[in-house]
Amino acid sequence: MHDIKFIRENPEAFDAALARKGLDPVAAEIIALDARRREALNESQTAQARRNEASKLIGQAMAQKDVATADALKAEVAELKTRLTELEELARTGDAALADRLALLPNLPADDVPDGLDEAGNVEVSRWGDLPQFDFEPKEHADIGPALGMDFETAAKIAGARFTFMRGGIARMNRALGQFMLDAQVERGYNECATPYLVRDEAVFGVGQLPKFAEDLFQTTDGRWLISTSEVSLTNSVREQILTAAELPIRLTALTPCFRSEAGSAGRDTRGLIRQHQFEKVELVTIAAPEHSQMEHARMCAASEAILQALGLPYRKMLLCAGDMGQASRKTFDLEVWLPGQNTYREIASISNCGDYQARRMNTRYRPEGEKGTEFVHTLNGSALAIGRTLVAIVENYQQADGSVRVPEALVPYMGGITVLTP
């Protein structure tokens, strides 16, 4: 959500920031909606004051046996009562119209975010790791995986497209990756959580996924939503709270299944594990004071990068341009892992600083030390990492000519000592 006072006082700056994301100006429309709402409220207050005054004058007129004046005042009070009902409804609908319009708007990009409308405007920040060299033509994971236990056909029979059934060593590696990643983040100071996978409307609204992205989610028959990431549950764990400065930063992590409809992705990544309706992910969420959010963003990036480095997976770090960021983000770094089978880098983690955008939607504040007033917190979230895509990266980077896949050294203890997955 956005601060309506800021929009009223800085309409040109607000529209200019939206233009960086390729959006049309809306400040005038929002200011007009706010003006109508405020006009109704002001008239309502004036009418209520006059009604109170007239009610007192009725008593005085009756005491003086001035029936004509008393009757005129009674008629005025009755008319004011009707008008107040109308004004209250105007104010209510005005509030709702303004809130609905603001709810659809994305966060504004930070000043140091590069301009651009799509991924072509993203900027490479750094690279890590040497690309693997093969004395054979490397294959994609969808071609290697079936012999190792990735069963796409059985999954399709059970659930349809974009699901995978795993068996044996590859299923164990899938589990091992989640445990390894979660342990690593707990060691880095993130508090492990076990969260609900089903949430209410207000939780999905709080992180910015509703109302605009309902089609990207799965909804149950009782109206709840399957989480697309544990960011939803973790971030909303502080909704409608006033935190103390001493409680911040709050650093949380969870390993959960994630569910996405992949609306609009027909024809994209239909083979393999890259784009699934159901997958697992270790998520990081931080609730921080505004002056510390930039530092926490760097900390979170380092936590995600450490997983890729521990697994020996080459990657590059990208700063997303204004037009390629998500709805709630003001600044995002993507980590893209090298996939030799595709001969390209693919996104494996997205780490975002959302500023106070989500906090306003959740009404989450904190009281700075020594201050009577409160301020909105800043929220951050990031993948550390998506399990399926990490599995893809290991299969492709550690593949051998005979179709076997070496197990990264860091995972061997989690694999019961297994060092190679064989067909």
Side-chain angles (χ1 to χ4, degrees):
M1 295 288 278
H2 293 283
D3 181 359
I4 185 62
K5 182 180 178 182
F6 174 83
I7 299 174
R8 284 201 308 265
E9 295 177 353
N10 305 275
E12 293 181 359
F14 188 79
D15 282 342
L18 288 179
R20 296 181 63 201
K21 296 180 72 71
L23 299 176
D24 295 331
V26 298
E29 175 191 352
I30 289 171
I31 291 171
L33 286 171
D34 182 53
R36 286 196 291 271
R37 176 188 69 92
R38 288 156 63 88
E39 183 181 354
L41 287 171
N42 290 336
E43 187 179 342
S44 177
Q45 291 171 355
T46 301
Q48 184 62 56
R50 175 55 188 165
R51 180 187 180 191
N52 294 340
E53 180 185 20
S55 296
K56 292 178 181 178
L57 292 174
I58 290 172
Q60 295 174 13
M62 294 293 288
Q64 296 172 3
K65 299 187 179 350
D66 186 349
V67 177
T69 299
D71 288 345
L73 287 169
K74 288 178 182 178
E76 183 183 1
V77 167
E79 185 178 336
L80 285 169
K81 181 179 180 181
T82 300
R83 181 57 179 159
L84 278 168
T85 301
E86 295 172 351
L87 290 170
E88 287 170 2
E89 178 62 17
L90 283 173
R92 187 192 67 78
T93 57
D95 276 337
L98 180 61
D100 289 346
R101 190 66 186 91
L102 290 173
L104 291 171
L105 295 177
N107 203 347
L108 303 182
D111 291 341
D112 59 347
V113 167
D115 289 333
L117 298 181
D118 53 35
E119 62 182 15
N122 297 341
V123 176
E124 184 174 318
V125 176
S126 61
R127 293 193 183 202
W128 183 91
D130 297 324
L131 302 187
Q133 301 299 313
F134 301 94
D135 57 8
F136 60 93
E137 185 69 27
K139 297 180 179 179
E140 293 191 42
H141 76 283
D143 298 318
I144 306 167
L148 298 173
M150 284 185 193
D151 188 343
F152 304 114
E153 292 184 4
T154 296
K157 291 177 182 178
I158 297 170
R162 299 190 187 277
F163 290 92
T164 304
F165 195 113
M166 297 188 196
R167 297 183 177 87
I170 203 72
R172 183 167 188 171
M173 182 178 282
N174 186 79
R175 172 167 58 92
L177 277 170
Q179 297 305 311
F180 164 69
M181 293 174 186
L182 193 58
D183 286 350
Q185 301 311 336
V186 170
E187 289 176 8
R188 294 182 74 92
Y190 289 87
N191 189 24
E192 181 177 349
C193 303
T195 78
Y197 305 155
L198 290 168
V199 295
R200 294 176 172 174
D201 288 357
E202 54 265 36
V204 191
F205 176 87
V207 296
Q209 294 180 1
L210 285 181
K212 191 170 184 179
F213 300 104
E215 66 173 7
D216 296 328
L217 307 171
F218 288 111
Q219 191 171 27
T220 60
T221 54
D222 67 356
R224 282 177 282 201
W225 302 86
L226 287 164
I227 59 171
S228 59
T229 163
S230 60
E231 170 202 345
V232 180
S233 305
L234 293 173
T235 306
N236 276 277
S237 67
V238 295
R239 69 174 296 110
E240 298 172 0
Q241 293 184 33
I242 298 178
L243 305 167
T244 65
E247 291 178 272
L248 303 178
I250 298 172
R251 302 185 183 111
L252 308 172
T253 187
L255 166 63
T256 68
C258 306
F259 306 90
R260 300 185 184 180
S261 72
E262 294 298 340
S265 66
R268 296 177 57 198
D269 299 308
T270 54
R271 299 179 70 239
L273 291 171
I274 293 292
R275 199 175 297 276
Q276 299 264 287
H277 288 312
Q278 173 189 315
F279 60 96
E280 293 173 296
K281 181 157 66 83
V282 171
E283 185 75 4
L284 304 176
V285 162
T286 297
I287 315 298
E291 63 270 23
H292 296 147
S293 67
Q294 186 172 340
M295 177 182 67
E296 290 294 329
H297 198 192
R299 188 184 196 278
M300 190 175 284
C301 285
S304 294
E305 290 183 66
I307 299 296
L308 291 168
Q309 292 175 14
L311 294 173
L313 296 171
Y315 67 91
R316 65 180 183 181
K317 182 179 181 180
M318 306 292 291
L319 174 59
L320 299 196
C321 69
D324 199 36
M325 293 193 303
Q327 175 87 350
S329 177
R330 70 188 304 267
K331 185 176 182 178
T332 296
F333 290 102
D334 272 5
L335 303 181
E336 298 180 349
V337 69
W338 176 251
L339 298 183
Q342 296 187 26
N343 194 40
T344 191
Y345 287 96
R346 295 296 303 267
E347 178 200 336
I348 196 169
S350 195
I351 305 107
S352 299
N353 184 347
C354 298
D356 64 4
Y357 181 86
Q358 294 176 326
R360 289 179 179 277
R361 298 170 79 95
M362 298 187 303
N363 194 22
T364 303
R365 297 171 175 266
Y366 84 108
R367 182 170 284 108
E369 192 170 351
E371 299 289 336
K372 291 184 179 179
T374 61
E375 298 179 22
F376 287 107
V377 298
H378 279 195
T379 62
L380 304 94
N381 63 80
S383 310
L385 305 163
I387 308 300
R389 293 196 177 196
T390 308
L391 194 62
V392 167
I394 289 173
V395 168
E396 293 199 13
N397 281 275
Y398 284 88
Q399 63 180 292
Q400 302 184 105
D402 62 358
S404 62
V405 172
R406 291 181 293 113
V407 176
E409 186 176 343
L411 277 189
V412 171
Y414 290 85
M415 294 287 292
I418 297 172
T419 59
V420 179
L421 298 183
T422 57

